[in-house]
Amino acid sequence: MSSNIHFISAGAGSGKTYSLTQKLEKLLSGGDVTPAGVIATTFTKLAAGELKERVRGALIEAGQLGVANQMEQSLIGTVNGVCGEILRRFAFEAGMPPDQQVLDEAQGDLLFYQAMERALADNKPLIRQMNATCHRLQIINRQQQLNWRAEIKSIADAARANNQSAVEIRHLGNASADGLLAHFPNPVTRDLDVQLKNAIEQALEGIDTDTDGTKVTREYVSLITGIRAGLYKERATWPERLTLSKKMPGAKSKPHAEPIAVIAGDYAKHPKLHQDIRFFAESAFEIAADSLSAYQLLKTQKGLIDFVDQEQRLYQLLDH
């Protein structure tokens, strides 16, 4: 027996539901399939209910009242709803309890972050180092808060979506860093931090705000003063260095700022930037792996599954 699969790309309002309704009505009215043999997936529960009602209505209009009354036997729902129902029907074969407690997306997110904190609980130095590195890289959210935990969750989500285990992703950080740093110039051997500090000190000594009291010059002096403090505390961010490579004071003070711009312009060649990128990438994948393991353990202890579990367990069930 041969079969064909047709992929149809259609935007909102293009008649997808109408087409599916007509196709199902024709198949059901002709006796080619029974309502219990129909499986259809949608993106939302609302769309699933609409599709089922439209098919029922079309069957009634076609005089197929008996078939229309059997539409509750069809399996029409969201992807996860359909996966969950099939797993419940074949719970024994799937090696799962028939009464499955399924986490919704928000509950799953909360439990994953709890698992991440468990995975990090005994490694406070790593947390401090991640905070410092992500501050320098400015991995932050819209509220200007450090956002590395969300980045790690994104790695874990992508791994699960691609059916990758914690073991498989643990050491992918090195390749990730290699791929990114391949687009950067080779690091230099000279001490760019010392050079930048010296250039800022000289500029602060040379710029006279009494002679050049323009707003742009005052702002520039404030900027380099703050970055100088960050350099001494090793908290200066890489975006700040990029800003220094472009920002200038007023015309009278510009000659004092040009050496700063030249040195700051080499930020992409800074060995510490390369180190920060590599540390973040490698640590993020390792933490993601530990968090995935802790998340799975938490779900097992609580007798819970989430949407991804439903999809993966059904995939395994169909594969056997």
Side-chain angles (χ1 to χ4, degrees):
M1 183 179 70
S2 62
S3 61
N4 295 315
I5 297 176
H6 299 277
F7 289 96
I8 301 172
S9 178
S14 57
K16 296 186 296 297
T17 303
Y18 175 80
S19 297
L20 285 171
T21 300
Q22 296 303 305
K23 184 178 288 291
L24 283 172
E25 185 275 321
K26 182 179 179 180
L27 290 170
L28 290 165
S29 293
D32 296 315
V33 296
T34 63
V38 171
I39 297 178
T41 62
T42 61
F43 283 109
T44 66
K45 293 180 180 178
L46 181 63
E50 182 182 356
L51 177 59
K52 185 178 290 187
E53 287 307 311
R54 284 197 187 184
V55 173
R56 182 183 285 111
L59 287 168
I60 292 173
E61 289 182 6
Q64 299 290 329
L65 185 60
V67 179
N69 290 334
Q70 298 174 30
M71 279 306 296
E72 287 304 319
Q73 299 175 16
S74 64
L75 190 51
I76 299 177
T78 62
V79 173
N80 291 107
V82 169
C83 288
E85 180 57 32
I86 294 175
L87 287 173
R88 279 189 289 273
R89 292 184 186 182
F90 298 94
F92 177 79
E93 291 82 355
M96 300 175 67
D99 183 20
Q100 301 160 21
Q101 298 185 57
V102 184
L103 293 165
D104 63 29
E105 189 171 352
Q107 292 170 329
D109 289 349
L110 179 61
L111 193 65
F112 181 85
Y113 282 118
Q114 290 176 1
M116 187 187 301
E117 295 312 311
R118 282 196 180 189
L120 291 166
D122 297 327
N123 204 340
K124 302 299 183 185
L126 176 59
I127 295 176
R128 288 193 292 270
Q129 197 169 356
M130 285 293 286
N131 285 337
T133 302
C134 291
H135 168 75
R136 291 192 295 270
L137 292 172
Q138 283 294 277
I139 299 175
I140 56 178
N141 59 22
R142 293 180 179 178
Q143 289 74 42
Q144 301 297 305
Q145 298 169 327
L146 294 177
N147 207 34
W148 56 269
R149 286 176 172 81
E151 294 293 329
I152 288 169
K153 186 176 185 302
S154 295
I155 293 173
D157 288 344
R160 299 189 72 213
N162 287 280
N163 208 24
Q164 291 177 295
S165 67
V167 173
E168 290 174 314
I169 70 166
R170 176 172 296 279
H171 301 295
L172 293 181
N174 183 53
S176 177
D178 286 343
L180 178 56
L181 291 173
H183 299 283
F184 281 66
N186 292 328
V188 297
T189 56
R190 66 185 190 275
D191 195 329
L192 292 173
D193 279 354
V194 170
Q195 291 181 351
L196 188 56
K197 290 175 189 174
N198 291 337
I200 290 175
E201 296 288 358
Q202 292 172 12
L204 289 173
E205 290 178 7
I207 296 175
D208 186 351
T209 53
D210 291 331
T211 303
D212 182 3
T214 60
K215 179 181 178 182
V216 67
T217 296
R218 293 197 305 271
E219 290 176 347
Y220 183 79
V221 169
S222 177
L223 172 67
I224 62 175
T225 300
I227 293 177
R228 177 184 62 174
L231 285 168
Y232 280 104
K233 296 177 182 178
E234 296 189 352
R235 284 184 56 80
T237 71
W238 299 108
E240 284 176 334
R241 296 172 196 250
L242 175 60
T243 299
L244 281 184
S245 70
K246 300 176 179 179
K247 193 81 170 178
M248 282 290 161
K252 293 180 180 179
S253 303
K254 187 176 180 180
H256 299 291
E258 289 173 343
I260 295 176
V262 172
I263 298 167
D266 282 338
Y267 74 96
K269 302 177 184 178
H270 203 305
K272 290 183 179 178
L273 172 59
H274 291 236
Q275 291 168 12
D276 278 350
I277 290 173
R278 186 167 297 280
F279 169 79
F280 175 77
E282 293 180 353
S283 299
F285 275 90
E286 289 174 6
I287 296 171
D290 291 337
S291 300
L292 277 177
S293 298
Y295 180 54
Q296 188 58 50
L297 179 60
L298 265 178
K299 286 186 296 179
T300 301
Q301 290 172 342
K302 295 176 180 291
L304 302 169
I305 63 173
D306 61 16
F307 290 160
V308 177
D309 291 325
Q310 286 182 320
E311 295 169 7
Q312 291 178 339
R313 295 297 288 268
L314 179 58
Y315 175 81
Q316 294 165 4
L317 184 64
L318 294 175
D319 200 39
H320 297 81

